Amino acid sequence: MSFIKTDVQGTKASYTLAVAYEQGVVRINNDAALKQLLDTETQSSILATKAIKAMYKSKMNAVLDISDTSLAIEILGHVYPDRIGKAIKNIPLPALVKNSIDKVLERTTVIDCGESGKDSNRWVWDALATANMLINNGPIKKPETLM
């Protein structure tokens, strides 16, 4: 797998992500640059998504058929379990638990994001994207109606 430097321009800095581009799939290296972007910028996973999709279009001469929200949530859905798993590994735990954590960490080292038909988990991220849209774009209730 060959990673290509993909620049993400944030409001506070510029970040260089390592991303592999294939037909219908992007593979994002879950490294320090990605974590720095997520820790520093507002709407960081959306910034990463837009940069990755722009580079995909440039490299593949096609549009990556994954919604921005779905891809952004998939990025977050891999980075944060990775962080939690690494933190938990520092706690004295039975070998069985540590082995389970190792399996999670193996799946989060590179974030494989594929279009429907190329990614068996696409439906999960699409469902979470829909839920996110409903939560954030739904009607806002006035405080007096909440009582």
Side-chain angles (χ1 to χ4, degrees):
M1 178 175 355
S2 120
F3 289 97
I4 296 171
K5 291 180 180 181
T6 303
D7 292 324
V8 179
Q9 186 57 53
T11 58
K12 299 176 182 169
S14 182
Y15 309 86
T16 302
L17 305 182
V19 183
Y21 296 90
E22 301 168 22
Q23 194 63 44
V25 178
V26 292
R27 301 180 196 283
I28 307 160
N29 196 11
N30 188 358
D31 60 9
L34 178 59
K35 290 171 182 148
Q36 169 121 30
L37 167 65
L38 295 175
D39 288 345
T40 307
E41 299 289 338
T42 303
Q43 297 289 313
S44 54
S45 61
I46 291 290
L47 290 173
T49 292
K50 291 192 179 296
I52 290 165
K53 288 178 79 174
M55 180 67 84
Y56 181 91
K57 186 173 184 180
S58 171
K59 294 287 181 196
M60 306 303 290
N61 294 317
V63 174
L64 183 63
D65 190 20
I66 302 173
S67 77
D68 289 359
T69 305
S70 182
L71 184 55
I73 289 173
E74 185 169 5
I75 291 168
L76 297 175
H78 283 80
V79 171
Y80 291 107
D82 181 77
R83 286 183 177 186
I84 292 166
K86 286 177 180 173
I88 291 172
K89 280 194 69 158
N90 293 323
I91 300 170
L93 296 168
L96 181 62
V97 174
K98 286 196 177 205
N99 290 340
S100 296
I101 292 169
D102 286 339
K103 288 181 182 181
V104 169
L105 294 176
E106 285 173 18
R107 293 176 170 248
T108 60
T109 302
V110 174
I111 306 167
D112 294 323
C113 310
E115 297 172 344
S116 294
K118 300 227 177 210
D119 184 344
S120 61
N121 294 324
R122 180 87 270 128
W123 69 272
V124 172
W125 308 113
D126 289 347
L128 290 170
T130 300
N132 177 68
M133 299 294 279
L134 292 172
I135 291 166
N136 289 319
N137 292 331
I140 299 172
K141 295 183 168 118
K142 294 180 182 175
E144 60 271 14
T145 62
L146 296 176
M147 295 181 193

